[in-house]
Amino acid sequence: MAENKAENILEISHLEFSFRTYGGVVKSVRDVSFNLRQGEILGIVGESGCGKSVTCSCILKLNPEPPGFFGKDSSIKYKGEEIVTKTNREMRRIRGAEIGFIFQDPMTSLNPTMTVGKQIEEVFVGRGVTGAEAKRRALEILTLVGINEPERRYKQYPHELSGGMKQRVVIAIAMVAKPSIIIADEPTTSLDVTIEAQILDLLKELRDKIGTSIILITHDLGVIAKMCDRVLVMYGGRIAERGTVDQIFYETAHPYTAGLMRSIATLDTAKDEKLVPIDGTPPDLFAPPPGCPFAARCEYAMKVCYERPPKETQLAPEHRCCCWLLHEKAPKVDLRRGRGEGQA
Amino acid sequence: MRKYILKRIGISLLTVFVLATVVFFLARLMPGGPFSDPKISATARENLAHYYGFDKPLIEQYFTYLGNLLHGNFGYSTKYPGQTVNALLASSFPYSADLGLRALCFAISFGLVFGVMSALNRGNGIDLFFVIVAVIGTSVPDFIMGAILQHFFGYKWGLLPIAQYKDITYTILPSVGLGFYTMASVSRIMRASMLEVVQQDYIKTARAKGVSNFRITWKHQIRNAIMPVITILGPIVASVLTGTFVIESVFAIPGMGKYYVESVQNNDYSMILGMTVFYGAFLVFCNMIVDILYGLIDPRIRISK
């Protein structure tokens, strides 16, 4: 498909990130490689603790170091520039201006003692932008994110705004310097459904207007389907499967992805039909299993799954999956029919 | 904001009125009276009671007292005949106020600086040093601290005068002795608060915006971390001012403390009332200022009231 049409704005290869804790070293991200293209929306989906947020914080080096540290071969290239080796001072030039970050909870992401306007303008502090210019751009971005009476809102404090408005302000902060990439870490998790739809539409609209690439972290497959061009499915600090939205939804190749699909309700789900949860808990990242991280919860797990990590198999252009079932000698299974549903 | 301030003032006035009333009746409930010395003859006692108006019905006395209070007149002392309570207050209060104020300035400024330094150096030697100072400060009472300071700075090393209150060198030891406990608690609260704020999401937002560390500390961390300190400023002022009574006697300072204790021992009604109402009104005033300050710094308070 469009594999080579757009250029990569962000190239991440062999990213490893761990935290030293009193209990030992937590390997949060293990050998993750992916690219982000100009103008696309890339979804990262996975359950809590699968490493999706840590991966994205690595891009801006927002994880505290120490106790966190990068693996030896980790490389994050933004427009060809290596991020991993940059100092905090050098990172400041990129943060906010080149890559914007939208945090999960708008209620706590804004400083309660600073006006909305000041918080937006702060992105320009130390970047050679005059006060008047900063204010003009702050007002402009407030209008763009759909806030009425920007002049009045500019002077208000976060507690005078509703949750949806606060998230719009958080987005405004991320967008005001017109960055090339926006990382949105579950931007709608704490909002109600109507506001969620508005915020997602807004993100998409901004992408179309400004041409920003977006990395959208979520655990909501509905959001993925609505928003994204491509999807990464993460599990236990690794990428389990990647592909376009259609490939992930209709040509599911990884048992974990299939499990995620089966655990959501659709309009066709009959009233008495039970949703199928994925049994078990995610792997202990203090001592990750030597094989596939999902093996312990996988209903198709074979002996090899516990012993050796699976390699990524290219299934189609864009579509790659990390699973032993795709090995030529593995038995063929139909992931659409879970074991529970098989007999029904 | 104006409505908020007016409301604070109204509440403060009401508090002072209730205080004056309660203390008036409580003082009369104490056993004995101002002239219960057995050496005073019965007729002399009657004459004295008549002179001071103590023979009138209690309610009448109460309203006379309230009337005088409205004019700022606290009446005559029975222990120091011929002297008005106002005059005694006027001669002693400046000493207490001066001492209290110096102690407060010392306590708050050093407490904040220590707390911030401690939090910014979390876990290393500097932090440990300030934490130890804070623990010592909060566990040693005022008068012991005063005595220790006298011993080392006044007696052993002869750097500063031991007692009395004349020029600025005399004020250092009592101010430090009085403010040390408060300084230590402010430092502890500030440290804890700084460490809590640094974990807030808006600090992460600021980092993601590319704001410098210095600016994050000043504009985001300290501004928010100072809230709990402002909240306890009211009680802090109260504790420092109460502490003055003890420190005054340790350093032989002619402040209010002496009169306060004497007035209760002698059932000197107007003196008790004068001291308590004056002191109470002062504390209420401090609390009111703190409330208003709080509203100025935290925009959330302003609107909700």
Side-chain angles (χ1 to χ4, degrees), chain A residues 107-296:
Chain A
M107 305 300 163
T108 56
S109 297
L110 295 172
N111 183 343
T113 56
M114 209 185 243
T115 60
V116 165
K118 285 276 168 290
Q119 296 195 53
I120 298 175
E121 282 175 10
E122 206 176 26
V123 176
F124 296 115
V125 169
R127 297 194 207 276
V129 177
T130 61
E133 169 71 4
K135 181 169 182 184
R136 192 187 62 73
R137 291 184 66 174
L139 290 173
E140 181 190 281
I141 199 77
L142 279 174
T143 318
L144 195 64
V145 297
I147 286 179
N148 296 325
E149 304 175 80
E151 287 278 358
R152 187 164 75 92
R153 297 300 183 188
Y154 176 90
K155 290 191 206 102
Q156 286 188 324
Y157 288 92
H159 70 274
E160 298 170 71
L161 271 53
S162 67
M165 287 254 236
K166 277 185 209 164
Q167 191 61 311
R168 281 168 200 268
V169 171
V170 171
I171 293 174
I173 290 173
M175 307 271 330
V176 69
K178 301 208 166 64
S180 325
I181 303 176
I182 284 190
I183 302 168
D185 188 351
E186 306 195 22
T188 54
T189 309
S190 52
L191 302 175
D192 65 62
V193 191
T194 28
I195 308 295
E196 168 168 24
Q198 290 173 14
I199 295 288
L200 291 177
D201 287 342
L202 171 68
L203 277 176
K204 216 165 184 176
E205 204 183 305
L206 291 171
R207 191 269 309 252
D208 297 340
K209 271 188 198 159
I210 304 180
T212 317
S213 314
I214 297 177
I215 298 180
L216 183 65
I217 305 176
T218 178
H219 47 233
D220 186 342
L221 287 170
V223 172
I224 293 279
K226 181 180 155 86
M227 296 285 292
C228 301
D229 303 313
R230 288 191 304 141
V231 187
L232 307 178
V233 180
M234 279 190 76
Y235 188 82
R238 291 174 188 275
I239 296 178
E241 185 174 1
R242 66 179 87 197
T244 62
V245 169
D246 284 352
Q247 285 164 344
I248 294 291
F249 276 82
Y250 299 113
E251 289 152 42
T252 314
H254 199 286
Y256 175 63
T257 319
L260 287 180
M261 301 289 173
R262 253 178 295 149
S263 60
I264 49 173
T266 62
L267 283 178
D268 312 326
T269 312
K271 236 191 207 166
D272 51 354
E273 202 175 317
K274 286 220 169 87
L275 291 174
V276 187
I278 305 175
D279 288 327
T281 49
D284 177 10
L285 293 176
F286 279 111
C292 169
F294 188 57

Side-chain angles (χ1 to χ4, degrees), chain A residues 61-62 88 92 95-96 101 103 105 108-114 119 122-123 125 127 157 159 173, chain B residues 201-202 204-213 215 219-220 223-224 227 297-300 302-303:
Chain A
K61 292 193 80 177
L62 286 176
N88 191 38
R92 271 173 41 208
R95 290 179 189 147
F101 211 113
F103 288 97
D105 189 354
T108 56
S109 297
L110 295 172
N111 183 343
T113 56
M114 209 185 243
Q119 296 195 53
E122 206 176 26
V123 176
V125 169
R127 297 194 207 276
Y157 288 92
H159 70 274
I173 290 173
Chain B
D201 287 345
Y202 53 79
K204 226 173 24 176
T205 309
R207 294 221 309 137
K209 279 195 278 191
V211 178
S212 68
N213 287 345
R215 197 179 153 92
K219 291 265 171 175
H220 295 273
R223 172 88 192 251
N224 283 288
M227 291 297 171
I297 292 190
D298 191 342
R300 280 169 295 187
R302 247 179 268 167
I303 308 296

